[in-house]
Protein backbone atom coordinates (compact mmCIF):
# COMPACT_ATOMS: atom_id res chain seq x y z
CA UNK A 1 0.00 0.00 0.00
CA UNK A 2 2.81 2.40 0.96
CA UNK A 3 4.73 1.60 -2.23
CA UNK A 4 1.64 2.40 -4.22
CA UNK A 5 1.51 5.93 -2.68
CA UNK A 6 5.12 6.83 -3.55
CA UNK A 7 4.37 7.93 -7.15
CA UNK A 8 1.46 10.04 -5.82
CA UNK A 9 3.60 11.86 -3.22
CA UNK A 10 6.41 12.30 -5.73
CA UNK A 11 4.01 13.98 -8.14
CA UNK A 12 3.06 16.46 -5.40
CA UNK A 13 6.47 17.18 -3.89
CA UNK A 14 8.48 17.55 -7.11
CA UNK A 15 6.52 20.58 -8.43
CA UNK A 16 6.66 22.14 -4.97
CA UNK A 17 10.45 21.85 -4.75
CA UNK A 18 10.85 23.07 -8.33
CA UNK A 19 8.58 26.05 -7.61
CA UNK A 20 10.63 27.04 -4.56
CA UNK A 21 13.85 26.87 -6.56
CA UNK A 22 12.64 29.14 -9.33
CA UNK A 23 10.94 31.79 -7.21
CA UNK A 24 11.53 35.30 -8.63
CA UNK A 25 14.31 37.39 -7.09
CA UNK A 26 11.91 39.75 -5.32
CA UNK A 27 11.21 37.10 -2.71
CA UNK A 28 14.87 36.71 -1.77
CA UNK A 29 15.08 39.61 0.72
CA UNK A 30 15.39 37.24 3.68
CA UNK A 31 18.50 35.67 2.10
CA UNK A 32 20.36 39.01 1.83
CA UNK A 33 20.71 39.86 5.51
CA UNK A 34 22.33 43.15 6.42
CA UNK A 35 22.92 44.62 2.96
CA UNK A 36 25.52 47.31 2.39
CA UNK A 37 23.91 50.73 2.38
CA UNK A 38 25.16 53.67 0.31
CA UNK A 39 23.36 56.97 0.86
CA UNK A 40 24.10 59.73 -1.65
CA UNK A 41 22.85 63.21 -0.73
CA UNK A 42 23.22 66.29 -2.93
CA UNK A 43 23.28 69.78 -1.46
CA UNK A 44 20.73 72.35 -2.72
CA UNK A 45 19.90 70.27 -5.82
CA UNK A 46 16.52 71.12 -7.32
CA UNK A 47 14.20 68.31 -8.37
CA UNK A 48 14.08 69.90 -11.83
CA UNK A 49 17.84 69.59 -12.28
CA UNK A 50 17.83 65.82 -12.86
CA UNK A 51 17.12 64.09 -16.17
CA UNK A 52 14.85 61.38 -14.81
CA UNK A 53 12.70 64.11 -13.20
CA UNK A 54 12.19 65.98 -16.45
CA UNK A 55 15.35 67.96 -17.18
CA UNK A 56 16.45 67.45 -20.77
CA UNK A 57 19.40 69.85 -20.86
CA UNK A 58 21.57 69.00 -17.82
CA UNK A 59 23.09 65.55 -18.39
CA UNK A 60 22.72 63.19 -15.41
CA UNK A 61 23.10 59.70 -16.96
CA UNK A 62 24.30 58.00 -13.78
CA UNK A 63 21.51 59.29 -11.58
CA UNK A 64 19.09 58.41 -14.39
CA UNK A 65 20.58 54.90 -14.45
CA UNK A 66 19.81 54.51 -10.77
CA UNK A 67 16.16 55.34 -11.48
CA UNK A 68 16.05 52.97 -14.46
CA UNK A 69 17.48 50.12 -12.38
CA UNK A 70 15.47 50.92 -9.27
CA UNK A 71 12.55 52.84 -7.79
CA UNK A 72 11.88 56.54 -8.33
CA UNK A 73 9.80 58.48 -5.81
CA UNK A 74 7.96 61.48 -7.23
CA UNK A 75 6.65 62.87 -3.94
CA UNK A 76 9.73 62.62 -1.74
CA UNK A 77 9.63 65.36 0.89
CA UNK A 78 12.35 66.98 3.01
CA UNK A 79 11.39 67.68 6.62
CA UNK A 80 12.83 71.21 6.34
CA UNK A 81 13.83 73.57 3.51
CA UNK A 82 17.38 74.24 4.78
CA UNK A 83 20.50 72.14 5.31
CA UNK A 84 20.94 71.83 9.09
CA UNK A 85 17.34 70.99 10.08
CA UNK A 86 16.71 68.79 7.04
CA UNK A 87 19.83 66.71 7.68
CA UNK A 88 19.05 66.45 11.38
CA UNK A 89 15.65 64.98 10.47
CA UNK A 90 17.28 62.65 7.93
CA UNK A 91 19.77 61.33 10.50
CA UNK A 92 17.24 60.88 13.33
CA UNK A 93 13.96 60.07 11.54
CA UNK A 94 12.32 62.90 13.50
CA UNK A 95 11.07 66.37 12.73
CA UNK A 96 13.96 68.73 13.58
CA UNK A 97 11.68 70.52 16.02
CA UNK A 98 11.88 67.45 18.28
CA UNK A 99 15.67 67.67 18.66
CA UNK A 100 15.86 71.46 18.90
CA UNK A 101 17.42 71.67 15.44
CA UNK A 102 14.92 74.12 13.98
CA UNK A 103 15.20 77.86 14.53
CA UNK A 104 13.29 80.27 16.72
CA UNK A 105 14.98 83.23 14.99
CA UNK A 106 16.45 84.11 11.61
CA UNK A 107 19.58 82.02 12.20
CA UNK A 108 18.13 78.81 10.80
CA UNK A 109 21.31 76.76 10.30
CA UNK A 110 24.60 76.12 12.10
CA UNK A 111 26.58 79.32 11.41
CA UNK A 112 30.05 78.57 12.77
CA UNK A 113 32.28 75.59 13.44
CA UNK A 114 33.01 77.51 16.63
CA UNK A 115 29.37 77.63 17.73
CA UNK A 116 27.98 75.50 20.57
CA UNK A 117 24.76 74.30 18.92
CA UNK A 118 24.41 71.02 17.07
CA UNK A 119 22.78 67.62 16.93
CA UNK A 120 22.28 66.74 20.62
CA UNK A 121 24.35 63.83 21.99
CA UNK A 122 21.18 62.10 23.22
CA UNK A 123 19.79 61.80 19.68
CA UNK A 124 20.09 58.33 18.18
CA UNK A 125 21.09 58.44 14.51
CA UNK A 126 20.64 55.52 12.12
CA UNK A 127 24.46 55.33 11.97
CA UNK A 128 24.59 54.68 15.71
CA UNK A 129 22.11 51.81 15.46
CA UNK A 130 23.85 50.29 12.44
CA UNK A 131 27.17 50.57 14.24
CA UNK A 132 25.66 48.54 17.09
CA UNK A 133 24.53 45.96 14.53
CA UNK A 134 28.11 45.40 13.39
CA UNK A 135 28.22 47.76 10.41
CA UNK A 136 31.28 49.78 9.44
CA UNK A 137 29.91 53.30 9.19
CA UNK A 138 31.45 56.19 7.28
CA UNK A 139 30.50 59.78 6.47
CA UNK A 140 32.33 61.47 3.60
CA UNK A 141 31.59 65.10 2.76
CA UNK A 142 29.35 67.63 4.47
CA UNK A 143 28.21 67.37 8.10
CA UNK A 144 26.76 70.77 9.21
CA UNK A 145 25.44 69.42 12.51
CA UNK A 146 27.91 71.14 14.83
CA UNK A 147 31.24 70.15 16.38
CA UNK A 148 31.81 71.16 20.03
CA UNK A 149 29.74 72.04 23.10
CA UNK A 150 31.94 73.37 25.89
CA UNK A 151 35.58 73.02 24.86
CA UNK A 152 37.58 72.89 21.63
CA UNK A 153 38.14 69.14 21.87
CA UNK A 154 34.93 67.74 23.37
CA UNK A 155 33.54 66.98 19.85
CA UNK A 156 30.09 66.41 21.35
CA UNK A 157 28.30 67.02 18.03
CA UNK A 158 30.96 65.42 15.83
CA UNK A 159 30.03 62.57 13.42
CA UNK A 160 32.16 60.10 15.41
CA UNK A 161 29.98 60.80 18.45
CA UNK A 162 26.87 60.06 16.38
CA UNK A 163 27.64 56.56 15.18
CA UNK A 164 30.14 57.04 12.37
CA UNK A 165 33.38 55.05 12.62
CA UNK A 166 35.06 57.23 10.02
CA UNK A 167 34.64 60.83 8.91
CA UNK A 168 36.37 62.78 6.19
CA UNK A 169 34.99 66.09 4.99
CA UNK A 170 33.68 69.48 6.06
CA UNK A 171 32.23 69.77 9.55
CA UNK A 172 30.53 72.91 8.23
CA UNK A 173 29.04 73.55 4.79
CA UNK A 174 30.50 74.90 1.58
CA UNK A 175 30.00 78.66 1.18
CA UNK A 176 31.36 81.23 -1.26
CA UNK A 177 33.70 82.55 1.44
CA UNK A 178 35.68 79.32 0.97
CA UNK A 179 36.66 80.40 -2.53
CA UNK A 180 39.01 83.43 -2.37
CA UNK A 181 37.93 84.61 -5.82
CA UNK A 182 34.23 84.73 -4.91
CA UNK A 183 32.38 87.55 -3.06
CA UNK A 184 31.45 86.69 0.55
CA UNK A 185 28.18 84.87 1.11
CA UNK A 186 27.88 84.35 4.85
CA UNK A 187 25.76 87.00 6.62
CA UNK A 188 26.49 89.38 3.77
CA UNK A 189 23.97 92.09 4.69
CA UNK A 190 24.91 91.97 8.38
CA UNK A 191 28.60 92.32 7.54
CA UNK A 192 27.84 95.38 5.41
CA UNK A 193 26.04 96.97 8.38
CA UNK A 194 28.96 96.17 10.71
CA UNK A 195 31.38 97.83 8.27
CA UNK A 196 29.09 100.87 8.08
CA UNK A 197 28.84 101.15 11.88
CA UNK A 198 32.62 100.80 12.20
CA UNK A 199 33.20 103.56 9.68
CA UNK A 200 30.64 105.82 11.39
CA UNK A 201 32.24 105.34 14.81
CA UNK A 202 35.70 105.90 13.36
CA UNK A 203 34.49 109.04 11.57
CA UNK A 204 32.98 110.45 14.77
CA UNK A 205 36.22 109.72 16.67
CA UNK A 206 38.39 111.30 13.98
CA UNK A 207 36.12 114.36 13.68
CA UNK A 208 36.10 114.89 17.45
CA UNK A 209 39.88 114.59 17.67
CA UNK A 210 40.34 117.03 14.77
CA UNK A 211 37.90 119.48 16.35
CA UNK A 212 39.78 119.26 19.64
CA UNK A 213 43.12 119.96 17.94
CA UNK A 214 41.67 122.97 16.11
CA UNK A 215 40.04 124.28 19.25
CA UNK A 216 36.55 124.01 17.76
CA UNK A 217 35.15 121.76 20.44
CA UNK A 218 35.90 121.30 24.10
CA UNK A 219 36.37 117.62 24.83
CA UNK A 220 38.81 115.87 27.12
CA UNK A 221 41.58 113.75 25.58
CA UNK A 222 40.63 110.98 27.98
CA UNK A 223 37.14 110.92 26.48
CA UNK A 224 38.60 110.78 22.98
CA UNK A 225 40.91 107.94 24.01
CA UNK A 226 37.94 105.98 25.34
CA UNK A 227 36.04 106.61 22.13
CA UNK A 228 39.01 105.45 20.05
CA UNK A 229 39.36 102.36 22.25
CA UNK A 230 35.67 101.59 21.82
CA UNK A 231 36.04 101.94 18.03
CA UNK A 232 38.92 99.48 18.03
CA UNK A 233 37.15 96.99 20.32
CA UNK A 234 33.98 97.15 18.22
CA UNK A 235 35.98 96.47 15.07
CA UNK A 236 37.89 93.57 16.61
CA UNK A 237 34.73 92.08 18.14
CA UNK A 238 33.27 91.30 14.73
CA UNK A 239 36.29 91.24 12.44
CA UNK A 240 37.93 88.48 14.51
CA UNK A 241 35.10 86.21 13.34
CA UNK A 242 33.76 87.57 10.05
CA UNK A 243 37.18 88.71 8.85
CA UNK A 244 38.49 85.13 8.97
CA UNK A 245 35.47 83.07 7.85
CA UNK A 246 37.63 81.10 5.44
CA UNK A 247 39.90 79.97 8.29
CA UNK A 248 37.17 79.30 10.84
CA UNK A 249 34.53 77.59 8.68
CA UNK A 250 36.24 76.35 5.52
CA UNK A 251 38.18 73.46 6.97
CA UNK A 252 38.54 69.74 6.28
CA UNK A 253 38.77 67.05 8.94
CA UNK A 254 39.66 63.38 9.08
CA UNK A 255 37.97 61.97 12.13
CA UNK A 256 38.91 64.44 14.92
CA UNK A 257 41.95 65.86 13.15
CA UNK A 258 41.87 69.08 11.12
CA UNK A 259 43.72 68.33 7.88
CA UNK A 260 43.25 71.57 5.93
CA UNK A 261 42.70 75.03 7.41
CA UNK A 262 41.64 76.67 5.20
CA UNK A 263 40.61 73.99 2.73
CA UNK A 264 42.31 73.85 -0.66
CA UNK A 265 39.22 73.94 -2.84
CA UNK A 266 40.98 72.86 -6.06
CA UNK A 267 41.41 69.32 -4.76
CA UNK A 268 38.33 68.91 -2.56
CA UNK A 269 36.27 67.02 -5.12
CA UNK A 270 38.91 64.38 -6.02
CA UNK A 271 39.74 63.89 -2.33
CA UNK A 272 36.11 63.28 -1.40
CA UNK A 273 35.70 60.83 -4.26
CA UNK A 274 38.93 59.04 -3.39
CA UNK A 275 37.89 58.70 0.25
CA UNK A 276 34.47 57.33 -0.74
CA UNK A 277 35.88 54.65 -3.03
CA UNK A 278 38.57 53.78 -0.49
CA UNK A 279 35.91 53.28 2.19
CA UNK A 280 34.05 50.81 -0.04
CA UNK A 281 37.24 48.91 -0.83
CA UNK A 282 38.31 48.72 2.83
CA UNK A 283 34.96 47.46 4.06
CA UNK A 284 33.83 45.16 1.23
CA UNK A 285 34.12 42.01 3.37
CA UNK A 286 31.57 43.13 6.01
CA UNK A 287 28.33 45.11 6.00
CA UNK A 288 28.96 48.83 5.66
CA UNK A 289 27.06 52.11 5.66
CA UNK A 290 28.52 54.88 3.49
CA UNK A 291 26.87 58.28 3.70
CA UNK A 292 28.37 60.33 0.86
CA UNK A 293 27.19 63.85 1.56
CA UNK A 294 28.16 65.85 -1.54
CA UNK A 295 29.36 69.44 -1.42
CA UNK A 296 27.75 69.75 -4.88
CA UNK A 297 25.66 71.72 -5.84
CA UNK A 298 26.06 74.38 -3.14
CA UNK A 299 27.77 77.66 -3.93
CA UNK A 300 30.53 78.45 -4.75
CA UNK A 301 29.97 75.44 -7.03
CA UNK A 302 33.44 73.89 -6.82
CA UNK A 303 33.98 72.27 -10.22
CA UNK A 304 37.13 70.68 -11.58
CA UNK A 305 38.60 71.98 -14.82
CA UNK A 306 37.54 69.04 -16.98
CA UNK A 307 33.85 69.80 -16.31
CA UNK A 308 33.97 73.58 -16.72
CA UNK A 309 31.99 74.80 -19.72
CA UNK A 310 30.51 71.39 -20.51
CA UNK A 311 26.86 72.05 -19.72
CA UNK A 312 24.26 74.35 -21.23
CA UNK A 313 23.51 75.92 -17.85
CA UNK A 314 26.74 77.65 -16.95
CA UNK A 315 28.70 76.87 -13.81
CA UNK A 316 25.68 75.41 -11.98
CA UNK A 317 25.03 72.91 -14.77
CA UNK A 318 28.75 72.02 -14.90
CA UNK A 319 28.68 71.35 -11.18
CA UNK A 320 25.62 69.09 -11.36
CA UNK A 321 27.12 67.12 -14.23
CA UNK A 322 30.33 66.63 -12.25
CA UNK A 323 28.33 65.35 -9.28
CA UNK A 324 26.55 62.90 -11.57
CA UNK A 325 29.96 61.68 -12.76
CA UNK A 326 30.96 61.15 -9.11
CA UNK A 327 27.80 59.09 -8.61
CA UNK A 328 28.87 56.96 -11.56
CA UNK A 329 32.34 56.46 -10.08
CA UNK A 330 30.85 55.24 -6.80
CA UNK A 331 28.49 52.87 -8.64
CA UNK A 332 31.42 51.54 -10.66
CA UNK A 333 33.35 50.91 -7.44
CA UNK A 334 30.40 48.94 -6.06
CA UNK A 335 30.23 46.87 -9.26
CA UNK A 336 33.99 46.33 -9.34
CA UNK A 337 33.93 44.81 -5.85
CA UNK A 338 31.01 42.52 -6.78
CA UNK A 339 28.66 44.25 -4.33
CA UNK A 340 25.88 45.40 -6.68
CA UNK A 341 23.26 42.82 -5.61
CA UNK A 342 24.08 43.17 -1.91
CA UNK A 343 24.02 46.97 -1.77
CA UNK A 344 21.08 49.33 -1.37
CA UNK A 345 21.86 52.68 -3.03
CA UNK A 346 19.81 55.78 -2.28
CA UNK A 347 20.04 59.22 -3.90
CA UNK A 348 18.33 62.42 -2.76
CA UNK A 349 18.81 66.13 -2.14
CA UNK A 350 18.55 67.74 1.29
CA UNK A 351 15.98 70.30 0.04
CA UNK A 352 15.01 72.29 -3.04
CA UNK A 353 17.13 74.57 -5.21
CA UNK A 354 18.07 78.09 -4.16
CA UNK A 355 16.19 80.39 -6.53
CA UNK A 356 17.53 83.67 -5.17
CA UNK A 357 21.21 82.71 -5.44
CA UNK A 358 22.50 84.96 -8.18
CA UNK A 359 25.62 87.00 -8.94
CA UNK A 360 24.75 89.65 -11.48
CA UNK A 361 23.20 87.80 -14.40
CA UNK A 362 24.59 84.43 -13.29
CA UNK A 363 22.05 82.02 -11.82
CA UNK A 364 23.95 79.98 -9.23
CA UNK A 365 21.02 78.14 -7.68
CA UNK A 366 18.96 75.19 -8.84
CA UNK A 367 15.65 74.72 -10.62
CA UNK A 368 12.64 73.09 -9.00
CA UNK A 369 10.73 72.18 -12.12
CA UNK A 370 7.01 72.78 -12.06
CA UNK A 371 6.98 73.26 -8.30
CA UNK A 372 6.46 76.64 -6.67
CA UNK A 373 9.10 78.16 -4.41
CA UNK A 374 12.50 76.90 -3.38
CA UNK A 375 15.12 76.65 -0.66
CA UNK A 376 14.24 78.23 2.71
CA UNK A 377 10.49 78.10 1.96
CA UNK A 378 8.90 75.73 4.43
CA UNK A 379 5.56 75.21 2.75
CA UNK A 380 5.83 75.52 -1.03
CA UNK A 381 6.66 72.31 -2.86
CA UNK A 382 9.77 73.71 -4.55
CA UNK A 383 11.53 74.03 -1.21
CA UNK A 384 10.83 70.53 0.07
CA UNK A 385 10.03 68.16 -2.83
CA UNK A 386 13.30 66.48 -3.80
CA UNK A 387 14.59 63.59 -5.91
CA UNK A 388 14.34 60.22 -4.20
CA UNK A 389 15.76 57.08 -5.85
CA UNK A 390 16.44 53.58 -4.50
CA UNK A 391 18.32 50.78 -6.24
CA UNK A 392 18.81 47.23 -5.03
CA UNK A 393 18.97 44.74 -7.92
CA UNK A 394 17.06 41.54 -7.32
CA UNK A 395 15.15 43.01 -4.37
CA UNK A 396 13.53 46.21 -5.65
CA UNK A 397 11.68 46.09 -8.99
CA UNK A 398 13.55 48.02 -11.68
CA UNK A 399 11.93 50.93 -13.49
CA UNK A 400 9.26 51.50 -10.85
CA UNK A 401 7.73 54.92 -10.19
CA UNK A 402 5.88 55.58 -6.91
CA UNK A 403 3.70 58.66 -6.52
CA UNK A 404 2.93 58.20 -2.81
CA UNK A 405 4.05 60.79 -0.19
CA UNK A 406 7.35 59.77 1.39
CA UNK A 407 9.88 61.61 3.53
CA UNK A 408 13.64 61.84 3.97
CA UNK A 409 12.86 60.83 7.57
CA UNK A 410 11.79 57.42 6.22
CA UNK A 411 15.40 56.44 5.57
CA UNK A 412 15.95 56.04 9.31
CA UNK A 413 13.47 53.21 9.99
CA UNK A 414 14.14 51.68 6.57
CA UNK A 415 17.87 51.15 7.07
CA UNK A 416 17.44 50.21 10.75
CA UNK A 417 15.01 47.48 9.70
CA UNK A 418 17.35 46.21 6.98
CA UNK A 419 20.25 46.07 9.43
CA UNK A 420 18.21 44.03 11.89
CA UNK A 421 18.11 46.84 14.44
CA UNK A 422 15.29 48.04 16.66
CA UNK A 423 13.85 51.55 16.61
CA UNK A 424 14.20 53.54 19.86
CA UNK A 425 11.12 53.14 22.01
CA UNK A 426 11.71 56.21 24.21
CA UNK A 427 10.96 58.83 21.55
CA UNK A 428 8.68 59.61 18.64
CA UNK A 429 10.01 58.43 15.27
CA UNK A 430 8.22 60.26 12.46
CA UNK A 431 9.68 58.24 9.57
CA UNK A 432 8.15 55.02 8.24
CA UNK A 433 9.79 51.87 6.87
CA UNK A 434 9.68 52.17 3.07
CA UNK A 435 10.54 48.59 2.13
CA UNK A 436 6.93 47.33 1.78
CA UNK A 437 6.12 50.29 -0.48
CA UNK A 438 9.34 49.97 -2.49
CA UNK A 439 8.83 46.24 -3.03
CA UNK A 440 5.19 46.69 -3.99
CA UNK A 441 3.73 44.60 -1.17
CA UNK A 442 1.59 47.58 -0.09
CA UNK A 443 -0.16 50.12 -2.29
CA UNK A 444 -0.03 53.22 -0.10
CA UNK A 445 2.52 55.09 1.99
CA UNK A 446 2.02 54.89 5.74
CA UNK A 447 2.05 58.69 5.94
CA UNK A 448 -1.42 60.14 6.27
CA UNK A 449 -0.20 63.59 7.32
CA UNK A 450 3.10 65.40 6.81
CA UNK A 451 3.83 68.66 8.61
CA UNK A 452 5.86 71.33 6.84
CA UNK A 453 7.79 73.64 9.15
CA UNK A 454 9.77 76.78 8.50
CA UNK A 455 11.91 77.08 11.59
CA UNK A 456 9.58 76.31 14.49
CA UNK A 457 6.63 77.77 12.59
CA UNK A 458 4.14 75.42 10.98
CA UNK A 459 3.60 76.75 7.46
CA UNK A 460 1.66 73.92 5.80
CA UNK A 461 0.21 70.44 6.28
CA UNK A 462 -0.27 67.67 3.71
CA UNK A 463 -3.10 65.13 4.02
CA UNK A 464 -3.03 61.99 1.91
CA UNK A 465 -6.68 60.94 1.57
CA UNK A 466 -5.96 57.37 0.57
CA UNK A 467 -9.50 56.30 -0.27
CA UNK A 468 -9.86 59.04 -2.92
CA UNK A 469 -6.23 59.52 -3.98
CA UNK A 470 -6.38 63.24 -3.18
CA UNK A 471 -3.31 64.97 -1.71
CA UNK A 472 -4.67 67.96 0.16
CA UNK A 473 -2.28 70.67 1.31
CA UNK A 474 -3.24 73.57 3.54
CA UNK A 475 -0.96 76.64 3.85
CA UNK A 476 -1.27 78.63 7.07
CA UNK A 477 1.64 80.96 6.30
CA UNK A 478 3.41 81.80 3.05
CA UNK A 479 6.39 84.09 2.35
CA UNK A 480 5.82 87.39 0.57
CA UNK A 481 7.67 87.32 -2.73
CA UNK A 482 9.57 90.43 -3.82
CA UNK A 483 9.45 92.07 -6.24
CA UNK A 484 5.72 91.62 -6.66
CA UNK A 485 4.90 88.90 -9.13
CA UNK A 486 8.26 87.17 -8.64
CA UNK A 487 8.52 83.56 -7.53
CA UNK A 488 10.96 84.07 -4.65
CA UNK A 489 12.27 86.59 -2.10
CA UNK A 490 14.85 88.25 -4.33
CA UNK A 491 14.93 91.35 -2.13
CA UNK A 492 16.18 89.37 0.88
CA UNK A 493 18.08 86.46 -0.65
CA UNK A 494 16.13 84.11 1.64
CA UNK A 495 12.45 83.92 2.44
CA UNK A 496 11.72 84.41 6.15
CA UNK A 497 9.61 82.15 8.36
CA UNK A 498 7.79 84.80 10.37
CA UNK A 499 7.26 88.52 10.84
CA UNK A 500 6.61 91.11 8.17
CA UNK A 501 7.91 88.86 5.41
CA UNK A 502 5.06 86.33 5.64
CA UNK A 503 1.32 86.32 5.09
CA UNK A 504 -0.99 84.50 7.51
CA UNK A 505 -3.98 82.76 5.93
CA UNK A 506 -7.29 82.27 7.74
CA UNK A 507 -8.86 80.22 6.32
CA UNK A 508 -5.72 78.56 5.00
CA UNK A 509 -4.88 78.29 1.32
CA UNK A 510 -5.93 74.83 0.16
CA UNK A 511 -4.64 72.88 -2.84
CA UNK A 512 -5.18 69.39 -4.14
CA UNK A 513 -1.72 68.38 -5.30
CA UNK A 514 -3.05 65.39 -7.19
CA UNK A 515 -4.76 67.85 -9.55
CA UNK A 516 -2.61 70.94 -9.06
CA UNK A 517 1.00 69.96 -8.19
CA UNK A 518 2.22 73.48 -9.01
CA UNK A 519 -0.04 74.98 -6.32
CA UNK A 520 -1.30 77.54 -8.80
CA UNK A 521 -5.06 77.55 -8.05
CA UNK A 522 -6.09 77.73 -4.39
CA UNK A 523 -9.44 76.17 -3.60
CA UNK A 524 -12.23 77.75 -1.58
CA UNK A 525 -15.53 76.76 -0.06
CA UNK A 526 -17.18 78.02 -3.25
CA UNK A 527 -15.04 75.94 -5.63
CA UNK A 528 -14.44 72.81 -3.51
CA UNK A 529 -17.39 71.05 -1.81
CA UNK A 530 -15.06 69.28 0.63
CA UNK A 531 -13.24 72.46 1.68
CA UNK A 532 -14.62 72.73 5.21
CA UNK A 533 -14.32 68.99 5.86
CA UNK A 534 -10.69 68.95 4.73
CA UNK A 535 -9.73 71.99 6.79
CA UNK A 536 -11.35 70.52 9.92
CA UNK A 537 -9.63 67.19 9.36
CA UNK A 538 -6.23 68.83 8.99
CA UNK A 539 -6.92 71.02 12.02
CA UNK A 540 -7.54 67.95 14.20
CA UNK A 541 -4.34 66.37 12.87
CA UNK A 542 -2.38 69.48 13.89
CA UNK A 543 -3.82 69.32 17.41
CA UNK A 544 -2.87 65.66 17.72
CA UNK A 545 0.60 66.32 16.32
CA UNK A 546 1.20 69.20 18.75
CA UNK A 547 0.38 66.91 21.68
CA UNK A 548 3.41 64.78 20.72
CA UNK A 549 5.83 67.73 20.96
CA UNK A 550 7.87 68.29 24.11
CA UNK A 551 10.14 71.23 24.99
CA UNK A 552 13.83 70.67 24.22
CA UNK A 553 16.91 72.94 24.31
CA UNK A 554 17.09 75.22 21.27
CA UNK A 555 20.26 74.29 19.41
CA UNK A 556 19.95 77.22 17.01
CA UNK A 557 19.34 79.93 19.60
CA UNK A 558 21.39 83.09 19.26
CA UNK A 559 23.65 82.05 22.15
CA UNK A 560 24.39 78.75 20.41
CA UNK A 561 24.99 80.03 16.88
CA UNK A 562 27.42 82.87 17.70
CA UNK A 563 31.14 82.26 17.20
CA UNK A 564 33.02 81.27 20.37
CA UNK A 565 36.82 81.35 19.98
CA UNK A 566 37.32 78.66 22.63
CA UNK A 567 35.23 76.20 20.57
CA UNK A 568 36.93 76.84 17.24
CA UNK A 569 38.56 73.70 15.74
CA UNK A 570 42.21 74.57 15.14
CA UNK A 571 45.12 72.60 13.73
CA UNK A 572 47.69 74.85 15.40
CA UNK A 573 47.81 76.99 18.52
CA UNK A 574 44.78 79.28 18.46
CA UNK A 575 44.51 81.79 16.84
CA UNK A 576 47.33 80.66 14.54
CA UNK A 577 45.20 78.04 12.78
CA UNK A 578 46.47 77.03 9.40
CA UNK A 579 47.74 73.76 8.00
CA UNK A 580 47.74 71.57 4.89
CA UNK A 581 48.28 67.95 5.89
CA UNK A 582 46.96 66.70 2.55
CA UNK A 583 49.52 68.66 0.54
CA UNK A 584 52.02 65.82 0.39
CA UNK A 585 49.44 63.17 -0.47
CA UNK A 586 49.46 62.10 -4.09
CA UNK A 587 45.94 62.17 -5.50
CA UNK A 588 44.69 59.18 -7.38
CA UNK A 589 43.92 59.75 -11.05
CA UNK A 590 40.15 59.83 -10.81
Amino acid sequence: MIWQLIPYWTSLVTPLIFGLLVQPPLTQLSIVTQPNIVLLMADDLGIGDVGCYGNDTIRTPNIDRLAKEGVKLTQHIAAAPLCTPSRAAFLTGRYPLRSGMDAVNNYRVIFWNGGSGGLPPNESTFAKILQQQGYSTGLIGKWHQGVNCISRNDHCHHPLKHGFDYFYGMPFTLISDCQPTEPPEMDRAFRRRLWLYTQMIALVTFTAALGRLMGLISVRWKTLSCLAGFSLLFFLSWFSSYGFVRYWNCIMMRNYEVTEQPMVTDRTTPLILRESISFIERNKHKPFLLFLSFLHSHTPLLTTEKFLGRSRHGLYGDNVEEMDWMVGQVLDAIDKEGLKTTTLVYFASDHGGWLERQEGKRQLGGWNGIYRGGKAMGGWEGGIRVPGIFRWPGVLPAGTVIDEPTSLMDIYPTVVHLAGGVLPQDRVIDGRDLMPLLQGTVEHSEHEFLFHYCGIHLHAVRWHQKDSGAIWKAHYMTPIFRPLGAGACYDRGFCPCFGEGVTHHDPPLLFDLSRDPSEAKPLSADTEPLFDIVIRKIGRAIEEHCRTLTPVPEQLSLSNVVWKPWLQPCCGTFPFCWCDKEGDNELANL
Side-chain angles (χ1 to χ4, degrees), residues 14 40 93 103 212 222 283 302 334 380 441 466 471 502 534:
T14 300
L40 309 172
R212 175 69 174 80
K222 184 177 182 180
N283 294 283
L302 299 183
I334 292 171
W380 295 120
T441 58
K466 299 177 185 179
I471 306 288
V502 302
V534 171

Side-chain angles (χ1 to χ4, degrees), residues 319-336:
N319 193 252
V320 173
E321 291 191 3
E322 179 175 61
M323 179 186 65
D324 178 81
W325 171 78
M326 294 174 72
V327 170
Q329 295 294 299
V330 172
L331 297 180
D332 289 346
I334 292 171
D335 293 350
K336 177 184 174 184

Side-chain angles (χ1 to χ4, degrees), residues 10 75 94 134 160 169 176 207 213 229 231 234 255 264 270 299 312 318 331 338 354 367 399 445 473 581 590:
T10 302
Q75 199 176 162
R94 292 151 50 82
L160 268 59
S176 291
T207 303
L213 287 171
S231 301
F234 177 76
N255 296 327
V264 182
T299 50
R312 293 164 56 186
D318 298 344
L331 297 180
W354 190 358
W367 182 52
S445 161
K473 188 172 171 194
K581 299 177 183 179
L590 297 174

